[in-house]
Amino acid sequence: YRGFALTLLFSLALLFLPGTAKAQDDVPRFEPARCPVAAPGDVKCGYLVVWEDRSDPADGTLRLAIAILPAHSPTPAPDPVVYLEGGPGSSALEGLATWLTSPFRDERNLILLEQRGTRYAEPELDCPELKEMYVDTWAAGLDDDEIAEREVAAAARCRERLVAQGIDLAAYNSVASAADLDELRQVLGYDAWNLYGISYGTRLALTALREYPAGIRSVILDSVYPPQIDGLALIAPNTERVLAKLFADCAADAACSAAFPDLEADFYQTWARANEHPFRVRVPHPDTGEMLRLPVDGDDLVAELFLAFYDAELIPYLPLVIDQVAAGNEGVLVPLTHFALSTYLQGSEGMSFSVTCHEEAPFNTPEEVAAAAQSVPPPMRAFDITSTLEICDTWGAGIADPVETEPVYSEVPVLILEGAYDPITPPAYGLSTADTLPNSYYFEFPGMGHGVTLADCPAKVARRFLTAPHTRPVAICLSGMSTPQFVTQRDLHLTSGSYRILVAIESGSSRLLIPLLAFISFFALILIYVTLRAVLRILGIWPGSVP
């Protein structure tokens, strides 16, 4: 399986720009600048300038993009919220539009930090060599061993290019990013602020809490990935857990169990059949719009379902998706395959490797990973990280201090939020994190996946926590939540047609837009004819019964 997709789930290279010739005491500093993404006029942007390697200023400086979204209140609280994106390697500023309506802005400024090595940082540790390899190997339908071999080779080419640009790959990790974070607080002039992380962003928040607790008023951890978890080894068991939960919840739901009485058996049979005879799914390339015909075998199907569990809005449809795929309706795989391919092509792979190879791979032995995989049924072993471990052997990220395998202890108030259906950071991670945080509050949301604070109820809980972090927030809305309300074939007919139309409109692809416009024109003529005839009948001009 496409191994590096794992680190993205866990989860245009720029030339290295050395620091300008300023005095050493002028670093760190904040440089106001235009936003690198579209933003309203009240959003202030700029760059945090920091040393790449604080122990060796000769390595030069980095520029990290910052966006400050002002509070809606005319009298905002003095302690802002700073958002930490996941990945590792994902961009915070890329999703700026998402945060414009965030409830966190009601009373506080919201700050987005582009972590070192990500898209709008300078330099960016992107690996187009790997992105091209993912598309080519999937389209060619290569076997796992050949994919792994090509992935290792592509990563080696990326590493050589980044090192040739003067980039120190060992300087991109959670400890370095935590120092960036604290320096940003100081140069912006805040005595204290509130950290808010999702997924890997929680790992960074916990690292900052351990290293720089003095400037942290409170922490919100959404979908927690703590340092004491051997994340690479637990991918397969986590996959088994979330699929088993889906099967159990469907069996306990009268309508779902009646519609899909053999859901689990259908899943296993479909997995085996697809490995023998893969589905052929046509999707557009997320960047170029080129139509690709991708083979989707059983392991690909498992990975696509795994990704679907991230989104709480998709979970109610998954039993129906499995049922339709089992019946041979490969059209329902179009949106899942397109989403999976888009996910593999996102983020800065070099940054992800530097973090993973520094603080995860050294503490996850191949033997431990293999043992964990052997403990689950074969379909759950889709995520093969052998190539990731091989890449880490030569990436040059260094080895983290063993403290990166230990839980973080702190008396700072912490809110921990988990989704019951989270496939990558399950509730057990949050409970483990809470054990060493005596002033923490844990909430689990049924029917939800990864990144729960993007939904209404968890966001309300988080806002109440920010108002009074030393008091357990009221979560009345939680009582109204339940397991997913599963959708069956009696509720709707699944088709990929509407998704293909939406993708065509978004991408501007004339291949689908021309027939779409022709269809709309034909439909409009029919509608005009039917409406006119109905009016004429009502007026008694056209013969026939009144409609």
Side-chain angles (χ1 to χ4, degrees):
Y1 191 71
R2 280 153 280 281
F4 185 66
L6 167 65
T7 58
L8 286 178
L9 292 173
F10 215 122
S11 108
L12 175 65
L14 300 174
L15 291 177
F16 177 71
L17 299 177
T20 54
K22 292 199 175 186
Q24 182 166 330
D25 58 8
D26 200 24
V27 177
R29 66 179 180 272
F30 181 74
E31 299 176 345
R34 291 184 60 182
C35 296
V37 297
D42 62 343
V43 174
K44 306 303 180 185
C45 292
Y47 288 89
L48 173 69
V49 180
V50 296
W51 298 114
E52 182 183 50
D53 182 354
R54 290 176 173 84
S55 66
D56 185 7
D59 278 1
T61 57
L62 312 179
R63 299 176 79 234
L64 312 180
I66 307 296
I68 303 174
L69 286 62
H72 297 307
S73 170
T75 56
D79 45 281
V81 174
V82 58
Y83 172 65
L84 306 176
E85 182 60 84
S90 297
S91 167
L93 266 65
E94 195 169 29
L96 185 146
T98 303
W99 301 108
L100 295 178
T101 57
S102 170
F104 292 114
R105 295 183 63 195
D106 289 350
E107 299 173 355
R108 289 173 168 80
N109 292 347
L110 177 62
I111 301 173
L112 308 182
L113 165 66
E114 192 76 350
Q115 297 166 32
R116 55 173 56 202
T118 55
R119 180 170 183 179
Y120 296 108
E122 300 174 6
E124 177 194 5
L125 272 60
D126 190 24
C127 288
E129 299 89 345
L130 281 159
K131 291 181 170 67
E132 182 181 356
M133 183 277 305
Y134 295 145
V135 176
D136 291 345
T137 56
W138 195 350
L142 303 181
D143 61 38
D144 291 348
D145 290 341
E146 189 165 0
I147 290 173
E149 181 180 339
R150 294 195 181 191
E151 182 177 18
V152 172
R157 293 195 298 274
C158 178
R159 178 190 176 279
E160 291 172 4
R161 178 176 51 78
L162 295 175
V163 171
Q165 293 172 13
I167 297 172
D168 179 3
L169 297 177
Y172 296 78
N173 51 63
S174 298
V175 170
S177 290
D180 298 337
L181 190 61
D182 192 61
E183 290 182 351
L184 175 64
R185 179 186 62 80
Q186 294 180 52
V187 299
L188 293 182
Y190 292 111
D191 293 330
W193 60 13
N194 307 277
L195 301 185
Y196 163 43
I198 298 179
S199 195
Y200 167 73
T202 66
R203 176 68 165 265
L204 177 52
L206 286 167
T207 304
L209 191 59
R210 183 188 67 216
E211 302 289 333
Y212 305 98
I216 300 174
R217 174 179 176 264
S218 72
V219 180
I220 299 172
L221 302 177
D222 177 353
S223 307
V224 193
Y225 174 38
Q228 68 268 27
I229 297 297
D230 290 334
L232 296 182
L234 292 177
I235 290 289
N238 288 343
T239 306
E240 180 189 30
R241 182 202 73 86
V242 73
L243 280 167
K245 180 169 181 57
L246 179 73
F247 300 145
D249 284 353
C250 180
D253 181 281
C256 189
S257 61
F260 315 114
D262 302 311
L263 182 64
E264 185 171 4
D266 288 344
F267 163 76
Y268 280 101
Q269 292 170 8
T270 304
W271 169 79
R273 189 167 63 250
N275 275 340
E276 291 292 328
H277 304 286
F279 296 101
R280 308 292 297 188
V281 181
R282 293 183 71 249
V283 296
H285 190 293
D287 297 327
T288 67
E290 175 193 0
M291 292 303 297
L292 305 170
R293 192 169 181 83
L294 302 179
V296 177
D297 62 19
D299 289 347
D300 293 320
L301 175 61
V302 172
E304 291 180 10
L305 291 173
F306 183 95
L307 281 171
F309 280 113
Y310 274 57
D311 189 343
E313 293 185 354
L314 290 180
I315 295 171
Y317 297 89
L318 294 185
L320 179 56
V321 168
I322 293 171
D323 174 77
Q324 290 295 294
V325 175
N329 181 5
E330 65 183 31
V332 302
L333 292 175
V334 169
L336 296 184
T337 303
H338 187 242
F339 177 58
L341 182 60
S342 300
T343 301
Y344 302 155
L345 300 184
Q346 288 176 355
S348 301
E349 296 91 343
M351 171 58 175
S352 184
F353 275 130
S354 281
V355 173
T356 301
C357 297
H358 180 74
E359 56 206 56
E360 279 297 319
F363 309 107
N364 288 257
T365 68
E367 293 75 21
E368 291 171 338
V369 173
Q374 291 302 315
S375 68
V376 301
M380 318 310 174
R381 305 171 192 169
F383 298 99
D384 181 3
I385 67 165
T386 302
S387 57
T388 300
L389 297 178
E390 289 184 21
I391 292 168
C392 286
D393 286 341
T394 59
W395 188 254
I399 298 177
D401 187 283
V403 72
E404 295 299 341
T405 66
E406 300 173 4
V408 173
Y409 175 87
S410 175
E411 295 188 1
V412 171
V414 178
L415 178 66
I416 300 173
L417 307 171
E418 292 283 358
Y421 270 92
D422 192 330
I424 189 70
T425 57
Y429 289 11
L431 292 169
S432 174
T433 304
D435 286 343
T436 55
L437 300 172
N439 293 319
S440 63
Y441 313 104
Y442 174 87
F443 293 89
E444 183 178 324
F445 297 88
M448 299 205 70
H450 196 67
V452 298
T453 44
L454 302 180
D456 185 55
C457 180
K460 288 180 178 178
V461 175
R463 278 193 60 203
R464 294 190 182 111
F465 169 75
L466 284 173
T467 302
H470 287 281
T471 302
R472 182 177 181 84
V474 176
I476 299 174
C477 59
L478 187 54
S479 62
M481 300 182 69
S482 63
T483 54
Q485 302 301 302
F486 293 111
V487 175
T488 71
Q489 59 266 49
R490 295 185 61 181
D491 302 307
L492 83 165
H493 171 70
L494 287 185
T495 170
S496 64
S498 57
Y499 185 81
R500 293 181 187 275
I501 290 172
L502 289 171
V503 170
I505 292 173
E506 184 179 72
S507 65
S509 171
S510 60
R511 184 173 302 190
L512 284 177
L513 280 178
I514 291 174
L516 172 62
L517 291 173
F519 170 76
I520 291 175
S521 301
F522 174 75
F523 180 80
L525 290 173
I526 295 295
L527 183 63
I528 293 170
Y529 167 74
V530 170
T531 303
L532 180 62
R533 190 175 71 166
V535 170
L536 293 176
R537 280 186 172 176
I538 292 173
L539 296 176
I541 299 174
W542 191 294
S545 60
V546 175

